[in-house]
Amino acid sequence: MKNIILLTDFSDTARNAALYAIKLFEHADTHFTLLNAFDIEFSGTPYIVQVKEELAAESTDKLNADLFFLQKRMPNAKIKISSSFGSLVDAVRTELEVSNAELVVMGCKGESVVEYFLLGSNTYEVIKHVKSPLLVVPGHVSYRRPERITFATDMKSIEHEEMIKPLKAIASICGSEMLFVNVLGAEY
């Protein structure tokens, strides 16, 4: 894999997922983009431009801090940062086009709401709205060679070969078993 997007909200869970992916592809010639999306949840204020600028500066500062954290642990990793104003889904879609990434990586810790109890709302939104292979790393997982890789799909008009290509590459690198899971939506 040549290009991989690492999503971050600057949490320990996100840093763990990024570190996991970097270790997983440690021996491949891979370029990583550490991506943070930020948005303003309100509108109609005359200070919106100032708030947006402050959020952008904070995002860049925190991205640089996470970059330092990752490069300290994996000094040979090729990582660039990207800060994007807007929704997470829109930021991922844009970065996929810009970087021609083959995989998106994010952490998850889950929430109490039934719909999100396994993944978390951000992970759910990315799975639902971004048409790209996604590696979801649970927050409590430390890196070790994956013995089993699960491909979850709703079986709706996807290019199966293109979607599983990254998984086949990981499975080949690691000698992992692959499992396929059909996810049913509310219409079933």
Side-chain angles (χ1 to χ4, degrees):
M1 269 185 226
K2 298 293 182 196
N3 298 299
I4 296 175
I5 298 171
L6 307 171
L7 301 182
T8 186
D9 59 2
F10 312 116
S11 66
D12 290 339
T13 300
R15 275 188 291 281
N16 182 63
L19 197 54
Y20 187 99
I22 293 167
K23 287 180 180 179
L24 182 64
F25 294 98
E26 180 177 15
H27 301 293
D29 183 24
T30 304
H31 296 264
F32 298 95
T33 300
L34 187 61
L35 173 64
N36 172 253
F38 63 95
D39 205 351
I40 299 174
E41 305 236 352
F42 56 90
S43 61
T45 175
Y47 303 107
I48 197 87
V49 173
Q50 181 181 352
V51 171
K52 182 179 172 185
E53 289 171 358
E54 289 173 8
L55 288 172
E58 181 180 4
S59 174
T60 300
D61 289 347
K62 288 183 176 182
L63 279 166
N64 281 318
D66 274 6
L67 178 63
F68 178 77
F69 170 87
L70 294 169
Q71 287 184 326
K72 186 174 180 184
R73 283 150 186 79
M74 302 296 290
N76 294 326
K78 300 171 195 154
I79 310 168
K80 70 174 187 165
I81 61 171
S82 180
S83 179
S84 179
F85 175 74
S87 75
L88 177 61
V89 168
D90 289 342
V92 172
R93 286 178 178 159
T94 299
E95 190 61 43
L96 281 164
E97 288 179 27
V98 170
S99 67
N100 201 24
E102 300 163 277
L103 182 67
V104 177
V105 178
M106 68 188 303
C108 71
K109 59 181 175 180
E111 296 178 9
S112 60
V113 179
V114 175
E115 186 174 35
Y116 307 121
F117 82 99
L118 287 176
L119 299 174
S121 60
N122 286 333
T123 308
Y124 179 80
E125 290 301 311
V126 172
I127 289 171
K128 187 174 176 182
H129 298 289
V130 175
K131 304 300 181 206
S132 171
L134 175 68
L135 174 61
V136 179
V137 180
H140 65 279
V141 173
S142 297
Y143 178 77
R144 70 170 205 251
R145 183 191 64 78
E147 296 174 15
R148 186 175 302 116
I149 298 171
T150 304
F151 176 71
T153 179
D154 63 4
M155 304 300 275
K156 293 180 181 175
S157 64
I158 60 170
E159 300 295 327
H160 291 290
E161 187 60 35
E162 203 54 38
M163 294 300 280
I164 65 171
K165 187 177 176 183
L167 294 178
K168 288 169 80 175
I170 294 168
S172 177
I173 291 168
C174 300
S176 305
E177 171 187 13
M178 287 186 64
L179 300 174
F180 295 84
V181 177
N182 185 16
V183 179
L184 301 175
E187 65 270 16
Y188 294 100

